[in-house]
Amino acid sequence: MTDIGVRAVRQGVCRRADRIGAATPPGRDRALDALRAVAVLGVVLGHWLVTALVADGRTLRTASPLQHMPWLAPISWMFQTLAVFFLVGGHVATRGHASARARGVPYHQWLTGRLTRLFKPVAAVLGLWTVAALALLLSGTEFGTVRTLVKLALAPLWFLLVFAGLTAATPLLTRLNPLWPLAVVLHVDLLRFGLGGPSWLGWVNVAAAWAVPYTLGAAWTRGELERRRAGWILLGAGAAATAALVAWAGYPAAMVGVPGGGMSNLDPPSLAVVTFGLAQCGLALLLRERLRLATRRPVAWAAVALVNLSAMTVFLWHQTALMATTATGLLAGRLPGLHTPPDGLGWVGVRLLWLPVFALALAVCWSAFRSFERGGGGRGRRSRVVRAHRPSDRGTAAKARHV
C-alpha cells in the first residue's frame, strides 16, 4: 500500500473513531467497557492458545500444550479473565436494577430485557451446530469426533447459564457480603479434598465461586471499593492465598482446565480459581483510572466500543472460528500448530502465527451473525454502548447502559 493509501486509511479510521466518541454520553464510565473488552478478549485468546484438535486415528480429540509443558501454566493466569467479567457484570446489574426500581420498572420487565439481550445470540449458535452435528453424523463421521466438536463449540454456554442465574438473583445479591459465597467455596473444597467427600459437591461451586466477583461488583455499586486500598487488599490477599494453595495444598498452577489432568481449577471451580479471581478483581479496580485516561483517545475508545457492541458474538463464535480454520486447513494436509500435538515450544511459536487466521475466521462469523446480538439489525435502534440511563434518586443509577 502506498503512503497515500495508508494516510487515507488512517484518516478514515480517525473519522470513524471521532463519530463513535461524539455519540458516547460524556458521563459514561469507559473503564467498565474496557474491563469487559479485556475479559472477553482474554477468554478468546486463551482458548485459541491452549486448545488443539489432534487426530487420534479417525477420531478428533482436544489437547493442550499445558499437558506437555506444565511450566507454561503462568500463561493461563493472563487469559483466565472470567472473574473480571463477573465483577463488571455484578456492578452493572446491581446498578441497573437500582435504576429500574427508581423509575418504577418492575423486576420481571428488567430481568426479561437483560436475559433477552443475553440469550438472543445463542439461538444462531444452537441452530447452526444442530444442523452441523446431524450432517456430520449422517456423513459417517465418528461419534467421538462430533461429540468433541459440539462440546467445544457449545462450552461457552455454561458461562451464560451461570451469569443468567446470578442476574436473576440480583435483588438478593445486592447487599450480600462476598465473604459468604467465598465461605461456601472454602467449605466445599475442604469437604471434597480434605475430608474425602463426594466429588459431586464441587458443582456447588459453579454458582458460589462466580458469585464472589459478582457480589464484589455489587459492593462496587455501593461505593465500598472506591478507595485504592480496597484494590490493593484484594490483589495482595488473593495472590498470597493462591500461591499458598498451589504451593502447599496441591491445587494445580494452571487456572484453566487441562485435558487428562487429575484435577481442574475450573471444572468445577476451585478455591484457588476464586482467590486468583480476587487478585484479578483487585488489579482491575486499581487500573480503572488508567483505563479511563487511555479510553479518552478516540481510536482506543472506538476499539473498546466495537468489542462491547459484539461481545456476545465474539464470545459465542470464537471456538467455531478455531474449528473452521482447523477443518479448512486439512485440505492442505497436516499443518504444524493446527493439527499436530502441542508437545513443544515449536508448536507454541507456530500457533501464534495462526492467531490472525483465527481472527479472520471470527470476523466472518461476526459479519454473518452480529445481527442476532443487535436485535435483528433494525434501523433506528441505538447502540447500548452509547445509550444513557435516566438518573435515579440519589445518583445510584448508571450513567450509561452496559450489557
Side-chain angles (χ1 to χ4, degrees):
M1 184 180 292
T2 65
D3 290 343
I4 296 177
V6 171
R7 284 197 298 271
V9 170
R10 185 178 301 169
Q11 290 172 358
V13 170
C14 290
R15 284 195 298 269
R16 175 64 173 166
D18 289 338
R19 285 197 295 270
I20 292 174
T24 304
R28 185 176 183 85
D29 188 352
R30 300 184 181 192
L32 285 174
D33 298 288
L35 288 172
R36 186 189 290 110
V38 168
V40 170
L41 295 180
V43 171
V44 170
L45 290 174
H47 282 160
W48 285 353
L49 287 171
V50 303
T51 304
L53 287 170
V54 180
D56 186 6
R58 294 183 58 194
T59 303
L60 279 178
R61 61 179 176 85
T62 56
S64 170
L66 298 177
Q67 288 176 278
H68 305 278
M69 296 169 285
W71 49 272
L72 288 178
I75 291 178
S76 69
W77 304 347
M78 294 185 290
F79 298 112
Q80 214 299 58
T81 51
L82 284 175
V84 176
F85 201 105
F86 279 96
L87 171 73
V88 174
H91 177 50
V92 171
T94 51
R95 201 173 63 173
H97 181 250
S99 174
R101 288 186 61 187
R103 291 182 282 117
V105 177
Y107 164 75
H108 72 272
Q109 184 177 334
W110 170 82
L111 181 63
T112 299
R114 292 193 66 83
L115 295 187
T116 299
R117 294 198 301 270
L118 190 65
F119 283 108
K120 187 173 289 187
V122 173
V125 179
L126 291 177
L128 183 141
W129 275 101
T130 298
V131 173
L134 290 174
L136 289 170
L137 290 172
L138 292 174
S139 67
T141 305
E142 289 285 332
F143 177 77
T145 294
V146 177
R147 181 180 59 186
T148 296
L149 296 176
V150 172
K151 183 178 179 180
L152 198 60
L154 302 186
L157 297 186
W158 75 262
F159 154 82
L160 296 182
L161 293 175
V162 176
F163 193 80
L166 292 175
T167 301
T170 295
L172 300 177
L173 300 177
T174 297
R175 295 196 173 277
L176 183 68
N177 192 306
L179 291 176
W180 286 108
L182 178 61
V184 171
V185 177
L186 172 63
H187 284 84
V188 166
D189 274 19
L190 181 62
L191 286 173
R192 62 181 179 139
F193 297 137
L195 301 178
S199 59
W200 58 261
L201 277 175
W203 295 106
V204 175
N205 285 349
V206 173
W210 301 118
V212 174
Y214 195 89
T215 51
L216 274 175
W220 182 358
T221 300
R222 297 193 299 269
E224 298 173 7
L225 303 179
E226 290 302 320
R227 292 187 177 183
R228 290 183 63 81
R229 179 185 175 188
W232 283 114
I233 290 175
L234 287 171
L235 176 59
T242 305
L245 290 170
V246 171
W248 295 306
Y251 285 82
M255 293 299 153
V256 296
V258 179
M263 176 184 173
S264 170
N265 276 323
L266 199 58
D267 188 23
S270 72
L271 179 61
V273 85
V274 174
T275 57
F276 176 76
L278 291 176
Q280 278 190 322
C281 291
L283 181 61
L285 293 171
L286 291 171
L287 291 176
R288 283 176 296 180
E289 196 55 43
R290 290 182 178 232
L291 290 173
R292 290 182 184 120
L293 291 173
T295 51
R296 287 179 184 175
R297 301 174 181 174
V299 174
W301 169 240
V304 168
L306 290 175
V307 171
N308 276 269
L309 283 169
S310 306
M312 283 295 297
T313 303
V314 170
F315 181 78
L316 289 172
W317 290 98
H318 73 278
Q319 295 284 57
T320 299
L322 168 67
M323 289 182 281
T325 303
T326 304
T328 304
L330 286 172
L331 300 175
R334 198 162 176 261
L335 301 176
L338 199 60
H339 309 112
T340 52
D343 54 4
L345 285 178
W347 184 93
V348 176
V350 177
R351 174 51 69 104
L352 291 173
L353 299 177
W354 281 106
L355 293 183
V357 183
F358 297 155
L360 180 61
L362 180 56
V364 173
C365 294
W366 171 82
S367 179
F369 299 106
R370 60 177 174 163
S371 62
F372 286 87
E373 184 166 5
R374 300 186 181 183
R379 291 186 178 183
R381 186 177 185 275
R382 296 180 65 189
S383 161
R384 294 193 300 274
V385 178
V386 298
R387 184 169 56 192
H389 271 311
R390 298 172 187 173
S392 64
D393 292 343
R394 296 185 180 180
T396 308
K399 292 179 181 178
R401 183 176 298 274
H402 297 270
V403 176

